[in-house]
């Protein structure tokens, strides 16, 4: 028999190591995140260029692309995907990526978790997503108003496959694949890590040691604020997509 209560917050469940497979933020957890605001000395984020803003308006991927409908509004669902896409765009602009490479990165960020089955350690979800998006390439690229090319498909598939594989766990084949798509891989990993402020345990929050991005630290305040604003908006009744778009607009990153 379960010992958990519907009223238990994710923070309480995490402390007791009783988190369910599908996890949804709650008011107590957002209050806990807010109360644990890290001391950061970040500068202002770069202004998102118009092309990145257009891509972000499409980063709310269709629900039918998800392997599990219970993940739509969960911790690895649409809000996480859209925030990761926004942070990826900011990292791309900080790194001086071209519009084409930025578009490739934003697309990868939006779909990186689409084949997750749950919110726990779902090993292999990156590889499943890479296979799925390769099979559905025309549909995915068309959704973003982009053209799928063999090189772009290969780059996104590689980045998505490797996003949940730690650098120190790379096999020789992983290392070779990473070398062919290094910039997109590294920035996707960094964007995904920046959105970890949504997680209900401090030890799971962003760790610069685990990423390879010069702009990572400069965007930590932006990442934290985006979590607070979008999770609060979702709890107030906005859809996941609306919640992130409102957060981006309120922070002056879009619009």
């Amino acid at each position: 028999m379960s010992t958990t209560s519907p009223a238990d917050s994710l923070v309480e469940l995490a402390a007791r190591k009783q988190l369910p497979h599908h996890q949804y933020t709650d008011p107590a957890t957002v209050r806990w995140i807010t109360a644990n605001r890290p001391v950061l000395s970040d500068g202002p984020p770069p202004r998102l260029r118009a092309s990145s803003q257009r891509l972000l308006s499409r980063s709310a991927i269709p629900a039918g692309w998800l392997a599990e409908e219970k993940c739509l509004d969960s911790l690895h669902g649409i809000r996480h995907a859209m925030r990761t896409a926004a942070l990826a765009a900011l990292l791309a602009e900080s790194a001086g990526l071209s519009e084409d490479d930025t578009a490739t990165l934003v697309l990868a960020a939006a779909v990186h978790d689409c084949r997750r089955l749950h919110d726990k350690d779902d090993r292999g979800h990156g590889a499943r997503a890479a296979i799925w998006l390769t099979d559905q390439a025309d549909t995915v690229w068309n959704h973003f108003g982009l053209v799928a090319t063999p090189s772009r498909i290969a780059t996104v598939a590689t980045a998505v496959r490797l996003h949940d594989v730690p650098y120190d766990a790379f096999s020789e084949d992983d290392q070779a694949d990473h070398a062919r798509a290094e910039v997109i891989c590294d920035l996707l990993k960094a964007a995904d890590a920046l959105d970890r402020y949504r997680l209900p345990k401090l030890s799971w929050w962003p760790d610069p040691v685990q990423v390879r991005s010069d702009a990572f630290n400069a965007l930590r305040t932006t990442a934290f604020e985006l979590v607070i604003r979008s999770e609060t908006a979702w709890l107030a009744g906005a859809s996941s997509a609306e919640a992130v778009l409102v957060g981006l607009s309120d922070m002056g990153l879009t619009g």
Side-chain angles (χ1 to χ4, degrees):
M1 179 180 295
S2 173
T3 59
T4 64
S5 162
D8 287 335
S9 71
L10 291 181
V11 175
E12 293 168 328
L13 293 172
R16 299 202 302 266
K17 298 183 179 180
Q18 293 179 333
L19 283 168
H21 273 73
H22 299 101
Q23 302 160 25
Y24 306 91
T25 199
D26 55 84
T29 295
V30 173
R31 289 194 296 271
W32 174 86
I33 294 170
T34 304
N36 282 282
R37 181 183 299 273
V39 177
L40 302 169
S41 57
D42 311 351
R47 174 74 178 175
L48 280 169
R49 53 193 172 200
S51 58
S52 292
Q53 293 189 43
R54 288 194 295 271
L55 288 171
L56 292 179
S57 70
R58 304 184 183 194
S59 63
I61 62 174
W65 291 9
L66 301 183
E68 172 52 65
E69 64 179 358
K70 292 180 181 177
C71 290
L72 181 67
D73 293 319
S74 76
L75 289 191
H76 289 89
I78 297 300
R79 296 191 307 286
H80 170 57
M82 293 181 69
R83 287 192 301 257
T84 303
L87 294 165
L90 291 168
L91 287 168
E93 295 187 19
S94 292
L97 266 61
S98 68
E99 288 193 3
D100 284 347
D101 284 344
T102 297
T104 297
L105 175 60
V106 169
L107 186 153
V111 303
H112 76 284
D113 274 347
C114 71
R115 306 314 282 174
R116 265 188 170 273
L117 300 177
H118 53 76
D119 292 301
K120 301 189 82 171
D121 186 16
D122 185 10
R123 296 188 180 185
H125 68 272
R128 295 196 300 270
I131 293 170
W132 177 88
L133 73 89
T134 300
D135 291 340
Q136 303 294 326
D138 286 339
T139 297
V140 174
W141 265 259
N142 286 341
H143 172 81
F144 285 89
L146 303 171
V147 177
T149 66
S151 62
R152 290 173 183 169
I153 295 168
T155 296
V156 172
T158 297
V160 169
R161 183 179 75 80
L162 293 177
H163 89 267
D164 64 337
V165 181
Y167 288 112
D168 59 10
F170 277 7
S171 66
E172 289 187 9
D173 287 342
D174 293 339
Q175 292 172 2
D177 285 347
H178 173 262
R180 288 190 286 270
E182 182 173 1
V183 173
I184 303 300
C185 283
D186 288 349
L187 294 185
L188 175 57
K189 281 179 168 288
D192 191 23
L194 277 169
D195 195 47
R196 294 180 69 84
Y197 288 116
R198 76 197 190 283
L199 301 180
K201 197 169 185 178
L202 293 177
S203 62
W204 297 342
W205 280 16
D207 180 359
V209 174
Q210 303 298 322
V211 301
R212 300 176 182 177
S213 168
D214 293 337
F216 185 85
N217 280 330
L219 288 172
R220 289 169 72 186
T221 291
T222 298
F224 183 87
E225 290 295 336
L226 187 54
V227 164
I228 296 296
R229 291 171 187 256
S230 55
E231 294 301 287
T232 299
W234 182 71
L235 287 171
S239 70
S240 281
E242 291 168 344
V244 177
L245 293 176
V246 165
L248 290 169
S249 178
D250 286 350
M251 293 174 67
L253 298 174
T254 60

